[in-house]
Amino acid sequence: MSASPRVAVLTVTYNTGETIRPFLASVEAASASPVAVVIADNGSADLDALRAIGESYGAVVVSSGGNRGYGGGIDAALAALDDVLPDVRPEFLLVTNPDVVLEPGSIDELVAAAERLPDGGSFGPRILDEHGETYPSARRLPSLRTGLGHAAFSRFWPANPWSQRYWSTTQVVEREAEWLSGACFLIRADLFRQLGGFDESYFMYFEDVDLGQRVGRAGRANVYVPSAVVTHTGAHSTSTNRRPMEIEHHRSAYRFLSRKYRAWWLWPLRVVLRVGLAVRARWVTRK
């Protein structure tokens, strides 16, 4: 590369195998300019095979040192970028799942939005699921009231007002959001470093909610840019790990909300929240 890439793509793998190929194959057409790609592996059994696949697409593959979760893996990828590619000082980081396929020009669209909107800190694309449906990836921060209502009713009453406020599915237009899905988003590299990256106490889930909240507190906007399109194929998801993933989701939900409502006089509400989420986790994971 004759000049340092403006964008570095960071992703995390864990026993991902061949499913990462469509993602890597989509990167080149997503940007008119070269980008750096760093893959942090969280302890896969097939690291050597993954390294061979990554290197065949020009990506750098490093070990994160263990299973650090999604946020920890991304933080490890950024550290590896500094260590392994010290001459690459990107202006932007594209943080993404390894089972995302980037549409042609999608990275350029996000960068163009960042250039138009200097107050923006992070920028999220329109995310399609494997059926081509738009995933609600630009949402409001969960509140105690909204969180309890969503947790209690979303499974059997999806149209309830609390879930509708939480998901915010109706506006597929460029707009500000309170947080963007961690499945794929662009963030200014200096901002991500300033914020200390992801909070690794969230092993999985809600690390993106927490980051979006901190972006807002730093005076920057989280911007939804639906002109940039990616597809989250779900190729790396399996039914065999559904139960532990659901449990971790509820654990992270409690961690976020208990921190948001940490005042001592709110302890009765935190107790109700903990019990409610524990009961819901047990209910949704029963066979």
Side-chain angles (χ1 to χ4, degrees), residues 144 148 250-251 253-255 257-258 267-281:
L144 194 59
L148 287 172
H250 287 78
R251 185 178 293 135
Y254 175 75
R255 180 175 292 113
L257 289 169
S258 65
W267 70 264
L269 292 177
R270 290 195 296 272
V271 170
V272 171
L273 180 64
R274 181 186 285 274
V275 172
L277 286 170
V279 169
R280 185 177 188 270

Side-chain angles (χ1 to χ4, degrees), residues 22-44:
F23 161 70
L24 292 171
S26 73
V27 171
E28 183 176 3
S31 174
S33 303
V35 301
V37 181
V38 180
I39 303 168
D41 183 74
N42 272 350
S44 298

Side-chain angles (χ1 to χ4, degrees), residues 4 16 26 30 47 61 71 89 108 114 139 149 154 158 170 188 231 250 252 282:
S4 178
T16 302
S26 73
L47 179 57
V61 180
R89 303 298 295 177
D108 289 339
R139 312 183 200 173
S154 63
T170 58
R188 298 185 192 276
T231 299
H250 287 78
S252 293
R282 180 178 295 242

Side-chain angles (χ1 to χ4, degrees), residues 130-147:
E130 65 271 27
H131 304 296
E133 299 294 326
T134 298
Y135 178 75
S137 58
R139 312 183 200 173
R140 298 181 181 184
L141 289 171
S143 65
L144 194 59
R145 180 176 62 182
T146 300

Side-chain angles (χ1 to χ4, degrees), residues 78-257:
L78 181 59
L81 176 68
D82 295 338
D83 292 340
V84 180
L85 300 172
D87 295 331
V88 175
R89 303 298 295 177
E91 185 179 352
F92 304 103
L93 305 173
L94 185 80
V95 175
T96 180
N97 284 179
D99 54 357
V100 162
V101 174
L102 307 170
E103 292 294 319
S106 53
I107 293 178
D108 289 339
E109 283 290 322
L110 294 172
V111 171
E115 292 173 335
R116 283 189 290 103
L117 303 167
D119 291 335
S122 66
F123 305 85
R126 181 180 184 182
I127 300 177
L128 306 180
D129 64 19
E130 65 271 27
H131 304 296
E133 299 294 326
T134 298
Y135 178 75
S137 58
R139 312 183 200 173
R140 298 181 181 184
L141 289 171
S143 65
L144 194 59
R145 180 176 62 182
T146 300
L148 287 172
H150 172 68
F153 299 109
S154 63
R155 293 286 173 149
F156 58 89
W157 181 23
N160 75 80
W162 302 282
S163 291
Q164 290 304 303
R165 278 196 294 270
Y166 177 64
W167 290 92
S168 299
T169 59
T170 58
Q171 296 179 314
V172 185
V173 295
E174 186 169 295
R175 58 184 169 84
E176 291 188 11
E178 292 183 336
W179 67 278
L180 301 167
S181 170
C184 187
F185 67 93
L186 186 86
I187 188 167
R188 298 185 192 276
D190 58 352
L191 176 62
F192 194 66
R193 294 177 190 276
Q194 172 193 329
L195 296 175
F198 281 116
D199 181 344
E200 295 186 35
S201 67
Y202 295 93
F203 180 78
M204 186 182 295
Y205 303 113
F206 277 79
E207 67 282 305
D208 46 6
V209 184
D210 171 78
L211 181 67
Q213 182 181 60
R214 289 187 285 131
V215 168
R217 287 175 175 173
R220 309 301 288 270
N222 299 287
V223 184
Y224 181 50
V225 187
S227 57
V229 181
V230 306
T231 299
H232 192 191
T233 66
H236 192 41
S237 301
T238 65
S239 59
T240 57
N241 59 12
R242 185 184 71 85
R243 186 173 188 276
M245 289 173 69
E246 287 279 9
I247 291 172
E248 191 62 38
H249 184 274
H250 287 78
R251 185 178 293 135
S252 293
Y254 175 75
R255 180 175 292 113
F256 177 82
L257 289 169

